[in-house]
Amino acid sequence: MPEPYIVFKVAGSSYGVRSTQVQQVGMIENVTFVPNAPAFIEGIVYLRGQVVPVISLRRRFGLEKIPYDLQSRLVVTSLENRVVGLAVDSAREFITLTEAQIQPLPENLAALPIEYLEGVVSLNGRLILLIDLAQLLKYEKEELLAIHAPAEPSEGSKE
Amino acid sequence: MNDFSAQEFIQDFLEEAAEHLNSAGRNLLELERSLSGGDAPVESVVARIGLVNELFRSFHTLKGLSGMVGLAPAEQLSHAMEALLRAIQHMEIEITPQVIDRLLHSTQVLEMIVAALRDPDVGAPSIDADLAALASLLPGRQNQQQAGRASAAPAQAEDGAAPSGAAGVEVIPAGAGPEIDPLAGYPEISTHLEPVDRQRLLAALAAGRWLSLAIFSPTPDKATRGENVNAAREQLSAAGELIKAVPLIQDASIRFAFLVAAAQPLDPAAFLAMEWQELESQPAPAVPLPEEVPPAQFVVDAVEEGRSGAGPVTSGLGTVVRVDLERLDEIMRLVSDLVVTRYQLVELLPHLEGAPADRRDDMAQVASRMERHLRRLRQAVVRARLVPLSEVFSHMPLAVRDLARASGKELRLVMVGQETELDKVLVERLLDPLLHLARNAIAHGIEPPETRLAAGKSRQGTLTLRGLPAGDQIQVSVSDDGSGVDFKQVAAQAVDLGFLDPARIRPGAAPLTREEALSLLCQPGFSTRNEADLGAGRGVGMDVVLKMVTAFGGSLDMDTQLGIGTTFTLRLPVTLTIVDALIVRCGAERYAVPRSSVDRVIEIDPAEIVHTSGGQLYPFGQGSLSLLHLSDAFHLPQTKPAHFWYGLVSSEGERQTVLVVHQLLGMREVVVRAMRDPLVAQPGISGATEMGDGSVILILDLPAIFQFLKNNSSRG
């Protein structure tokens, strides 16, 4: 069964995420800074009656952040009741893939965020990395607790 | 009229009547409060007039409404109350605590009559007692309600003191004792006398002169003959000493009463046609002082934004449309259906492969727009169901007042955060639990006045109802500063009732955990006192509270300290919460702080801040406040202030600590949106709200921020 995917770009690489997991794609605007949040969180936006956290994928992938431009997009994903936005460099493509086209991750993909990927596709000579959304949106409880913990004065308190 | 429309008619009546009775109850309590308070005379008089007028209109309307649905007892009782209020309006009788008591009682009887109409299983009370009581308060009747004044005995055969042949002369015989007020039967005149008038009255009596009351009623006929009030006045002034002239307004007509003192009895025939009354002219030693009015045992402090506390409450029938909840539910279902239909459309879009790309794009855009519209529509319907907490809080003062009176305790009710809005269904279901909690607090929490004094507390106990938004939940708490819940007692009772295995009780000071104690209290049938005690034991009704809270997917908490007090907190999830919030700036960011969590805002002059090793102090009043900076909680840069900063004093916990922000931008209503995703959710932030210009700001949880900063106070 062919499945639709939305393709976006981050730092020159192309990534695909299942359409069914994408609520909408739009401009990145009115992002409100949220204090005491993980470093890859840009902040929150308010969309369709909901507060949506925004993850900077560049940061999430350990890359350098660049200023947003007219190409930048917010890919709003939804997974099991959670709605989270992904800030990407651009998002313009809409493709359909079959199971057969999806290949497992090769071993030697250095400098790529393999923990967030679930497969690759080669399309017209181009490599599209398929996102494992559950992994991408996962948060480490301990990580978050360390940020919020009120008990000890933390040395990392000043950003 | 067929059955259907009769039913609707009655339904309308029930709703309207409830509104009017509700606002009447509030106004009466307001009136009572204005009598006991230390208001400045001018404002309170003006406010009282407004309240009385508002009350008159309420019962006048209720009379009409009751007549239309054929509810005779309600019509009669409303009529009697209307008459009493009219007498008050015309200053024919004074507003005293007894009058208000009577009006409050009759209001409750009316409420019961209306309730009986709604639910035939409930019996309606008889109105006879109230009718008699109201009638006895009307002017001109015996048993004057003016406390302390001797009532005028029924007119008896005169003993020759009156001039003969004078029509309509009523002689008031010597009263039983020395304390006689010549104007005892004429409160409408009496209330108009200034102290200087009274002096003259007494002087006249002491000199043994005759007092008469001449009442002139102007008519067009008389006017054509030159018989007018000025002429009457001139005549009377010539014949004796005119002590006072008082206009009497009744039923849109006016009459003038002249109080005259003369050396001998005046012959009515010598004057223009007037009604004459001879007044008791025995030397009256003194005009007795009114009885000491006991201070009101009960004071309501509705802490509300924007209400001065001295104004009348209107039913607000002008800008409000009452909508059946069922109709809203139906609209909601229709919207949900639309949402599903839109999805069906979206599903079809990819199948339009054959259509040109731009056509498909257009359709996708339309589908997307539809979704936006639908979401807004859905929100609008949800919003239509929201009502402020005041709808349920407003029933509390009356109930609490009765409970306080019955229990002999002295009590002060404070209500905070009434503007917080929640779904109507929730509001309706909140009343019962709140009443149970209030009843428990009054019956068992708050101690009797003597006990409180002995314990070093104030005579008056305080019962606080608080509504606070908490993300997409709302927190409603009932607090008392009473004796607290004794876990040992609870444990003992639980063992007696067989709810608890004695082996489970922990030795030492804490036999039970808070959760265990609360869970026991919520067992049906639990009580730590005999039923012989008024009302409920601490346990009775708690199961009702828990049931309601659980039914709505919420939670119940208890916080208690022996000797200090108890707070029960209900947390209820709601779809939307709307609160008044202060908008503040800290650094480059704006934040919203719920109004109900802020007790006060003070100006901070940074030059006055004292930096110590223990933190920052700010001299204030007799002492000093410790400062905590919001910028520290959020790691924001501390900007150099223009002239000063602002300090927010939390309404919970100690008042000695103040949170410093940089700027106050104003106050506005905000819709609280939950921030639940773990990536951004954190203590200290209870949600976010959109400002209408597309921007979104965070809503602060002030108590949590205070906690966080205090725990981290080694910095700073």
Side-chain angles (χ1 to χ4, degrees), chain B residues 293-449:
Chain B
V293 177
Q297 248 184 305
F298 173 74
V299 170
V300 176
D301 243 315
V303 178
E304 291 181 54
E305 192 55 24
R307 282 198 64 199
S308 58
V313 177
T314 58
S315 321
L317 289 175
T319 51
V320 167
V321 173
R322 266 188 302 272
V323 180
D324 231 323
L325 259 188
E326 264 177 40
R327 294 183 194 173
L328 283 177
D329 279 344
E330 206 198 309
I331 297 177
M332 201 53 150
R333 275 193 294 272
L334 291 171
V335 172
S336 300
D337 286 348
L338 266 174
V339 169
V340 169
T341 310
R342 193 201 73 91
Y343 273 127
Q344 289 169 347
L345 199 63
V346 167
E347 291 293 304
L348 290 174
L349 279 181
H351 298 295
L352 297 174
E353 304 251 332
D358 54 347
R359 277 273 168 261
R360 280 189 307 190
D361 277 346
D362 286 344
M363 292 205 64
Q365 273 195 24
V366 168
S368 170
R369 237 182 287 144
M370 245 186 95
E371 181 171 14
R372 275 203 301 278
H373 289 316
L374 281 173
R375 214 163 269 277
R376 270 194 236 130
L377 182 58
R378 197 170 148 271
Q379 280 169 7
V381 175
V382 167
R383 238 204 114 119
R385 290 169 61 111
L386 298 181
V387 294
L389 253 185
S390 55
E391 283 235 342
V392 64
F393 275 21
S394 63
H395 294 286
M396 300 303 292
L398 206 50
V400 170
R401 181 183 180 278
D402 285 343
L403 289 167
R405 289 262 176 115
S407 68
K409 312 237 173 112
E410 286 182 28
L411 190 55
R412 187 171 148 256
L413 175 66
V414 176
M415 302 193 291
V416 184
Q418 293 196 62
E419 72 284 354
T420 316
E421 291 192 346
L422 63 169
D423 194 279
K424 182 150 174 76
V425 157
L426 232 89
V427 149
E428 288 173 348
R429 305 278 285 273
L430 257 180
L431 184 58
D432 230 17
L434 287 183
L435 283 176
H436 278 300
L437 291 172
R439 194 176 299 140
N440 285 346
I442 296 173
H444 298 281
I446 308 260
E447 314 91 324

Side-chain angles (χ1 to χ4, degrees), chain B residues 676-716:
Chain B
R676 265 176 303 205
D677 199 286
L679 289 170
V680 290
Q682 53 186 277
I685 296 180
S686 64
T689 183
E690 34 164 3
M691 296 296 277
D693 59 355
S695 64
V696 177
I697 68 175
L698 302 178
I699 302 174
L700 304 182
D701 178 350
L702 214 55
I705 290 180
F706 269 102
Q707 197 60 46
F708 174 80
L709 286 174
K710 286 224 196 88
N711 292 342
N712 284 19
S713 60
S714 48
R715 273 186 289 121

Side-chain angles (χ1 to χ4, degrees), chain B residues 139-160:
Chain B
R141 297 302 192 98
Q142 313 314 318
N143 306 328
Q144 295 304 327
Q145 85 286 7
Q146 288 176 19
R149 292 183 195 268
S151 26
Q156 290 153 7
E158 30 80 8
D159 56 0

Side-chain angles (χ1 to χ4, degrees), chain B residues 245-581:
Chain B
V246 174
L248 298 173
I249 303 170
Q250 186 145 30
D251 292 325
S253 70
I254 189 168
R255 300 182 300 157
F256 297 91
F258 298 101
L259 182 57
V260 189
Q264 51 263 343
L266 298 171
D267 179 7
F271 300 88
L272 298 181
M274 287 189 274
E275 278 173 54
W276 285 86
Q277 319 265 358
E278 271 283 318
L279 301 178
E280 175 52 56
S281 305
Q282 294 276 352
V287 175
L289 293 170
E291 212 170 61
E292 266 296 304
V293 177
Q297 248 184 305
F298 173 74
V299 170
V300 176
D301 243 315
V303 178
E304 291 181 54
E305 192 55 24
R307 282 198 64 199
S308 58
V313 177
T314 58
S315 321
L317 289 175
T319 51
V320 167
V321 173
R322 266 188 302 272
V323 180
D324 231 323
L325 259 188
E326 264 177 40
R327 294 183 194 173
L328 283 177
D329 279 344
E330 206 198 309
I331 297 177
M332 201 53 150
R333 275 193 294 272
L334 291 171
V335 172
S336 300
D337 286 348
L338 266 174
V339 169
V340 169
T341 310
R342 193 201 73 91
Y343 273 127
Q344 289 169 347
L345 199 63
V346 167
E347 291 293 304
L348 290 174
L349 279 181
H351 298 295
L352 297 174
E353 304 251 332
D358 54 347
R359 277 273 168 261
R360 280 189 307 190
D361 277 346
D362 286 344
M363 292 205 64
Q365 273 195 24
V366 168
S368 170
R369 237 182 287 144
M370 245 186 95
E371 181 171 14
R372 275 203 301 278
H373 289 316
L374 281 173
R375 214 163 269 277
R376 270 194 236 130
L377 182 58
R378 197 170 148 271
Q379 280 169 7
V381 175
V382 167
R383 238 204 114 119
R385 290 169 61 111
L386 298 181
V387 294
L389 253 185
S390 55
E391 283 235 342
V392 64
F393 275 21
S394 63
H395 294 286
M396 300 303 292
L398 206 50
V400 170
R401 181 183 180 278
D402 285 343
L403 289 167
R405 289 262 176 115
S407 68
K409 312 237 173 112
E410 286 182 28
L411 190 55
R412 187 171 148 256
L413 175 66
V414 176
M415 302 193 291
V416 184
Q418 293 196 62
E419 72 284 354
T420 316
E421 291 192 346
L422 63 169
D423 194 279
K424 182 150 174 76
V425 157
L426 232 89
V427 149
E428 288 173 348
R429 305 278 285 273
L430 257 180
L431 184 58
D432 230 17
L434 287 183
L435 283 176
H436 278 300
L437 291 172
R439 194 176 299 140
N440 285 346
I442 296 173
H444 298 281
I446 308 260
E447 314 91 324
E450 306 74 42
T451 314
R452 287 183 65 91
L453 285 175
K457 292 187 183 178
S458 60
R459 234 187 123 79
Q460 251 188 357
T462 302
L463 184 67
T464 307
L465 295 180
R466 192 191 301 276
L468 201 63
D472 60 347
Q473 292 196 324
I474 184 173
Q475 234 171 273
V476 181
S477 63
V478 179
S479 306
D480 65 73
D481 64 348
S483 52
V485 175
D486 188 343
F487 286 5
K488 287 212 180 73
Q489 262 190 32
V490 173
Q493 185 79 4
V495 168
D496 278 349
L497 290 171
F499 290 142
L500 185 63
D501 173 8
R504 298 247 334 256
I505 304 179
R506 271 174 275 282
L512 300 167
T513 62
R514 236 173 37 177
E515 291 76 24
E516 287 172 350
L518 181 59
S519 153
L520 285 171
L521 284 174
C522 290
Q523 295 280 354
F526 192 94
S527 168
T528 51
R529 299 258 190 101
N530 280 327
E531 287 303 309
D533 240 341
L534 112 83
R538 267 293 187 183
V540 173
M542 288 304 295
D543 59 323
V544 166
V545 178
L546 185 62
K547 214 187 300 180
M548 180 262 174
V549 155
T550 329
F552 281 97
S555 65
L556 178 63
D557 253 315
M558 173 179 71
D559 216 325
T560 185
Q561 262 183 294
L562 271 184
I564 309 245
T566 308
T567 299
F568 284 97
T569 305
L570 292 83
R571 266 181 205 87
L572 295 161
V574 284
T575 325
L576 276 180
T577 312
I578 298 179
V579 297
D580 285 333

Side-chain angles (χ1 to χ4, degrees), chain A residues 32 35-36 46 82 150 157, chain B residues 375 635 673 677 682 696 712:
Chain A
T32 298
N36 298 330
Y46 184 72
R82 283 180 73 191
S157 54
Chain B
R375 214 163 269 277
H635 317 304
R673 308 288 181 185
D677 199 286
Q682 53 186 277
V696 177
N712 284 19

Side-chain angles (χ1 to χ4, degrees), chain B residues 603-607 640-645 662:
Chain B
E603 272 179 20
I604 306 259
D605 181 356
K640 201 103 179 70
H643 299 289
F644 45 77
W645 288 329
H662 298 157

